[in-house]
Structure formats: structure tokens, C-alpha cells
Amino acid sequence: MGRLWMNTVPQRWHIDMLMITCPWCGPRDESEFTYGGEANIERPTDPEALDDAAWADYLFMRSNPKGWHEEQWCHAHGCRRWFKAERHTVSYAIRRTWPMDEESS
Amino acid sequence: MQNYSIFNLARHALGGHRGWKPAWREATPKPRYKVIIVGGGGHGLATAYYLAKVHGIRDVAVLEKGWIGGGNTGRNTTIVRSNYLWDASAALYEKSLQLWEGLSQDINYNVMFSQRGVLNLGHNLQDMRDIRRRVNANQLNGVDGEVLDTAGVKRLVPFINTSPDIRYPVLGASWQPRAGIARHDAVAWGYARAADSLGVDIIENCEVTGVRRDNGKVTGVETTRGVIEADRVGVVVAGHAGVLAEMAGFRLPIESHPLQALVSEPLKPILDTVVMSNAIHVYVSQSDKGELVIGAGVDSYTGYGQRGSFQTMEHFLSALIELYPIFSRLRMLRHWGGIVDTAPDASPIISSTPVDGLFFNVGWGTGGFKATPGSGWVFAHTLATGTPHEINAPFSLERFHSGALVDEHGAAAVAH
Ligand SMILES: Cc1cc2nc3c(=O)[nH]c(=O)nc-3n(C[C@H](O)[C@H](O)[C@H](O)COP(=O)(O)OP(=O)(O)OC[C@H]3O[C@@H](n4cnc5c(N)ncnc54)[C@H](O)[C@@H]3O)c2cc1C
Ligand SMILES: [Zn+2]
């Protein structure tokens, strides 16, 4: 496997993997993490009070912005803790990461 | 429209092939159209073509922010099949497959549709049960298919690794003989040319930047080439569905993900079918130029960068060489990515929206190329009449409120 990609993939790809800073473990390769989607989606405290449209909004609708995005990641192959990150969905640059229970901004 | 035929080819050969005209006009936007299509990919162009041809609506513009075929239409791995599990999907993709079968004649453009069959491999008992169930469902819906065992797969692909002690042994496959591949650029160019010849304006380098509304009704769009008014607007922008929805003031159950593919150096003919594997997520076919066309699943995170992540590539290449050790010393030539619009049930949204007169045809995710003709067919009907065709009625935005999802995740084998 190693030989295969060394032969075929231009050098710059080696640095193209995301470097994600786990709030507890520090900077690690993207391959140690799993993605958990858009952040700050709160489960309605009183689901009975919601109509179908409001429930669908909570369950399925996403902002899916082209630009900065607050999202959830889990350091699955490390400390296994969830945290939030602000990542740009075009450049993939990560501006900051912070623990789940801290305020966004 | 200048006809493409052997006679015209001979005639133009005498003139040193200097007499060919551009396949479509370079149209300047008019201030107003009956219908505006946002997005000049295969789906948008097919929609425009069937609007003009089937519904007689020719006052149509297709607005494309880049160039025709520069989106997913020109970036996909061209697998065409219709062996989806649920009735609603089977009807949609089978309608499309039937249109594929006559497409080159219909639009007088060779889309090189090659019905070389598609295999979806099974690697464990549950895979095989799912395959059997899906093939049964396909047969009940009049979609061709059969279940093959390991030997049956080996007969079609003699060099596949069928040893029982690999990590994911090949236990069998579903086989759809009428499935295959097509030339993706030709599909975009062919539909563009055919729509243009019926009077549709194809406007490239024209990005839609806003959706104009009055009292909850669409009145037109703002673009980098000015405001253009319309009675109805159809949005067919694949990976940018969320961006357009935001312009129109609502959200969609869609997330955009990078999906990548690559091609190898050309080989002599070795693989005359398409082989896909859901479980280990790699699929491969051989193009007419001899290159292996190889793809995999999406990157896990959302993204609008048209490139794929490295570990996804590593993952599907290791799957590739376990299944086909013979490919292990191949060099790869090109690698690219597209942005795919994925819905929670892995089915498209072909639907009216909260804005009157504004319709969306999005959410095709990793598998919409095969649906290009059928998608255009039903969306043209929807735009012409203001109501869905019976085939796309189940694919409304409403389904996320009612809960009547068309869950093709896994059900339809690999979602390409
Ligand atoms: C790597 C890869 C492999 C794939 N493999 C397969 C496969 O094997 N089989 C299969 O069936 N499907 C496959 N797909 C999926 C398939 O490519 C898509 O579902 C399908 O091509 C979508 O067609 P479209 O015409 O809607 O999209 P596109 O061709 O992407 O067209 C949308 C157009 O909208 C334009 N646009 C966006 N925003 C704006 C705006 N604001 N204003 C104006 N224009 C705008 C874009 O520039 C683009 O040209 C694959 C996709 C990828 C990326
Ligand atoms: Zn950690």
C-alpha cells in the first residue's frame, strides 16, 4: 500500500490531511477523528408541543453553509471525547476547537 | 441544428472539418423568461430539453455559473443502473434507464451508452440476504436482475480475488445486465445542443446570487449578469442546493460532501463490466480509452472544496488491490472531487418549495448521473404543470414532515 501511493500521489497530498486540535490531546491527524455534523442543534425540550414541520426542522434541516461552520467532532482513536470546531467548508481551515460544554463564542 | 451523421461527417471531411458550427449558441440573457433553470449540469439541461420538446415551453433559460458540464455531470464515474430497492426509486431510475436506451438517437448525439452490466458484490451473509431481497424486489418491478454466486462473479471477472481467506471474501453479487456506463460530457453537451436547437437559451458564466420574491412568490433571480425575471424557477444545482435554499429563505435536509474519483493509466481491455462493492466501498470500470475509473464513498465531513481527503483514497485503493491484486502496480493519472448533495434517506428531492413558483431538483448525492434523463423528464413536467409527475410525487420535500422517507441507504447497494 505504501508503495502504491508513494508512486502515484503528488507530494503535496501528504500535507493535505486535516490537522485537528483536540481540546485535550492537541493537534492530531484527521484520521483519528470522526465527524458529528452541525453543532448547536438542541433537542426540543418539549417534543409534544412541536408540529410535524417543527419536528422535521429539528430532525432533518441543516444550514449547510458555504463558509464558516460550527460542527462536532469526536476524537475516536484518542481520548474518545466530543468537542466542537469551527471549520471553513471551502478551504477546510479550522479556526478553533473547544469542549462541548463551553459557549460557542 | 446541423445533423450529426455519417454523411455530414464525410461532407465536412472534404472541407477539412472547418465547417462545423458550435453545438449551441452563446445566448445573452433576456430580461424575462417563462422558466429559468438554475444550474447547467445534465439534470438542468435535460429539464430544459424536455420542457421544450415534451411540453412545448421554449421560452426557457439555463443559467450556469461556470461552464456546461463543469459540475458533477463532468466529474462522476458514469455508472447507470436502476436496481434500487423501493418501488418509488425503481420507477424513477427505471424510467431513466429506458430513456438512456434511446437517448443517442433522440438527441442526435452519441452519449456512448454501453450496457455492459453492473455487479454489486456481497461479502457476508447479510449482504447476500439484502442482495436477494433487492433482486426479488427488482424483478417484481420489471427491473432486470439476478443473483450470482462466487463462481458466477468469477465467470464475468476472471481476475477478481475470490479466495475465501481475504478480509472481505466475495460471496456473490447482484447482476443487472441492462446497466452500464455512458460518456458524461457527451450527456451535458448533447442535451445542451438539443435544448438550444429548440430555442432554449444556454447562458454560461452567469451565477445566480439571489432569488427575487414578492408575497411568497418567486419573480426572478439576481445574477452576475443582472436581474432576470421569470414565472417559474427550477433549481438544479447539485452540491450548491443549500446555498440556493438560503437565498430563497429556507433550509433543506441536505448536506454537501466531497466525493472523489480517480483514473489510472490506460490498459488493454481487461474489464468489460462494472464492479461495485458497498461493504468495502470501491467500484471500478474501464473506460473506452482503457483507463480504470475508480471511486469510493464520500468524505465524512461536509465540504464545498472540490477535492477528496487522502485517507479516503487510501481506504478505497487498499480495497481495490485486495479485490484485484493484478491492479497493484498501476499508476494513477488523474484525481478529482465533486460536491455531492446528500439527503438523509439517500433519495433526491424533486419538489415544490415554501416559495410559490420555485421548484428544487436536488439531493441526488453520489448517484444522480444515472438519473439525468428521468430527472429532467419528471422535473420538466413539474415545472410545466406546477404539480409533480406521478413518478416524482414521492420525492417531495413534504416527506420529511410526514415521515414517508424513501430510504435507499444501503438498500440500493452502493449509492452510485
Ligand atoms: C466523484 C463522483 C462520482 C460519481 N459517480 C456517479 C456514478 O457512478 N453514477 C451516478 O449515477 N452518479 C454519480 N455521481 C453523482 C452525479 O455526478 C450527480 O448526482 C449528478 O451529476 C448531478 O447532476 P446535476 O446536473 O444536478 O449536477 P451538476 O452537473 O453539478 O450541475 C449543477 C450545476 O449548477 C451550477 N451552479 C451551482 N450554483 C450555481 C449558481 N448559484 N448559479 C448558477 N449555476 C450554479 C454548477 O456550476 C453546476 O454546473 C458521482 C459524483 C461524483 C462527484
Ligand atoms: Zn483527544
Side-chain angles (χ1 to χ4, degrees):
Chain A
M1 189 62 221
R3 269 199 49 212
L4 181 75
W5 58 255
M6 298 251 295
N7 284 344
T8 53
V9 180
Q11 198 62 34
R12 72 181 178 85
W13 286 101
H14 293 262
I15 51 170
D16 255 3
M17 192 180 283
L18 300 188
M19 189 62 84
I20 302 174
T21 304
C22 170
W24 293 279
C25 313
R28 300 293 184 95
D29 272 351
E30 160 184 4
S31 53
E32 293 187 15
F33 297 86
T34 51
Y35 182 65
E38 184 172 339
N40 314 322
I41 299 174
E42 273 176 43
R43 189 185 166 85
T45 43
D46 185 9
E48 296 298 316
L50 265 53
D51 62 11
D52 288 350
W55 187 246
D57 193 69
Y58 155 68
L59 216 49
F60 297 122
M61 304 300 158
R62 296 294 179 264
S63 333
N64 195 26
K66 187 173 185 176
W68 291 105
H69 187 222
E70 292 193 5
E71 54 193 27
Q72 316 177 111
W73 287 86
C74 177
H75 193 190
H77 300 290
C79 65
R80 306 190 59 187
R81 282 198 271 192
W82 284 91
F83 59 95
K84 294 186 198 176
E86 192 183 10
R87 185 179 58 93
H88 196 280
T89 58
V90 181
S91 69
Y92 301 163
I94 295 173
R95 193 141 72 176
R96 59 206 178 96
T97 56
W98 65 99
M100 283 308 257
D101 53 359
E102 270 173 28
E103 276 299 304
S104 285
S105 39
Chain B
M1 182 171 81
Q2 53 188 350
N3 198 47
Y4 292 159
S5 68
I6 184 87
F7 303 108
N8 266 333
L9 193 61
R11 198 163 60 81
H12 280 288
L14 296 176
H17 289 296
R18 246 165 260 130
W20 295 105
K21 303 235 169 53
W24 60 87
R25 292 166 295 133
E26 199 172 300
T28 342
K30 291 191 291 182
R32 179 174 187 86
Y33 291 90
K34 204 164 160 68
V35 180
I36 284 177
I37 312 271
V38 185
H43 288 226
L45 295 163
T47 305
Y49 171 63
Y50 294 121
L51 263 176
K53 187 192 160 196
V54 180
H55 302 277
I57 300 177
R58 298 177 173 209
D59 185 20
V60 177
V62 178
L63 310 183
E64 166 54 48
K65 77 174 159 111
W67 66 95
I68 293 303
N72 289 347
T73 301
R75 294 166 185 269
N76 74 88
T77 47
T78 80
I79 297 171
V80 175
R81 59 187 182 84
S82 65
N83 53 354
Y84 282 64
L85 177 69
W86 300 108
D87 295 352
S89 323
L92 176 59
Y93 292 101
E94 178 58 26
K95 169 72 191 173
S96 200
L97 183 49
Q98 286 170 12
L99 288 170
W100 275 112
E101 286 173 328
L103 188 59
S104 292
Q105 305 304 326
D106 184 33
I107 61 176
N108 179 232
Y109 204 104
N110 186 3
V111 298
M112 297 166 77
F113 181 47
S114 160
Q115 293 180 288
R116 56 184 65 189
V118 169
L119 287 164
N120 290 103
L121 302 180
H123 300 279
N124 55 48
L125 289 179
Q126 190 57 45
D127 280 1
M128 291 312 297
R129 283 186 205 112
D130 290 343
I131 283 172
R132 226 162 268 130
R133 176 185 181 210
R134 181 164 49 80
V135 169
N136 284 339
N138 293 157
Q139 288 171 349
L140 288 171
N141 277 319
V143 174
D144 61 318
E146 47 183 296
V147 180
L148 303 182
D149 60 8
T150 310
V153 174
K154 192 91 180 162
R155 253 195 309 280
L156 289 167
V157 188
F159 56 88
I160 198 168
N161 183 357
T162 49
S163 69
D165 59 357
I166 60 175
R167 176 69 183 82
Y168 298 101
V170 177
L171 300 188
S174 70
W175 167 239
Q176 185 182 19
R178 281 166 63 243
I181 54 174
R183 168 97 159 88
H184 47 9
D185 296 323
V187 175
W189 299 335
Y191 269 124
R193 171 171 168 272
D196 171 90
S197 78
L198 295 176
V200 171
D201 279 355
I202 291 164
I203 303 164
E204 294 171 269
N205 300 309
C206 180
E207 178 170 0
V208 170
T209 52
V211 176
R212 294 225 154 174
R213 286 156 288 158
D214 184 28
N215 252 330
K217 188 180 176 330
V218 77
T219 60
V221 292
E222 287 154 23
T223 78
T224 47
R225 297 176 68 172
V227 173
I228 312 176
E229 295 183 330
D231 297 340
R232 285 191 178 144
V233 175
V235 172
V236 205
V237 292
H240 283 81
V243 176
L244 267 290
E246 197 192 343
M247 290 178 198
F250 56 89
R251 299 201 301 165
L252 288 173
I254 282 186
E255 289 186 311
S256 298
H257 289 268
L259 177 65
Q260 59 187 318
L262 42 79
V263 293
S264 74
E265 60 192 331
L267 308 177
K268 295 225 166 123
I270 180 167
L271 179 61
D272 63 0
T273 182
V274 183
V275 195
M276 315 177 68
S277 167
N278 197 14
I280 56 180
H281 246 132
V282 68
Y283 57 91
V284 59
S285 66
Q286 187 171 23
S287 75
D288 290 340
K289 279 189 284 183
E291 303 160 328
L292 294 182
V293 182
I294 302 160
V298 295
D299 282 5
S300 66
Y301 46 80
T302 61
Y304 289 85
Q306 286 177 314
R307 57 189 185 275
S309 76
F310 182 73
Q311 76 269 21
T312 305
M313 197 193 306
E314 185 175 27
H315 176 85
F316 70 78
L317 287 177
S318 51
L320 181 82
I321 56 179
E322 174 159 272
L323 274 181
Y324 316 98
I326 193 176
F327 294 154
S328 67
R329 279 177 299 161
L330 267 184
R331 280 156 206 272
M332 298 299 155
L333 277 194
R334 293 190 307 281
H335 165 261
W336 67 91
I339 315 163
V340 297
D341 40 344
T342 56
D345 56 356
S347 286
I349 297 166
I350 316 167
S351 180
S352 57
T353 67
V355 179
D356 228 20
L358 177 67
F359 298 84
F360 269 54
N361 178 0
V362 296
W364 290 95
T366 60
F369 176 71
K370 66 176 71 64
T372 305
S375 159
W377 184 273
V378 298
F379 199 47
H381 177 102
T382 307
L383 283 167
T385 64
T387 50
H389 188 282
E390 60 174 341
I391 291 180
N392 66 309
F395 297 94
S396 70
L397 203 45
E398 227 308 286
R399 75 178 188 267
F400 296 95
H401 297 182
S402 69
L405 303 186
V406 188
D407 186 6
E408 287 290 351
H409 255 306
V414 184
H416 292 282

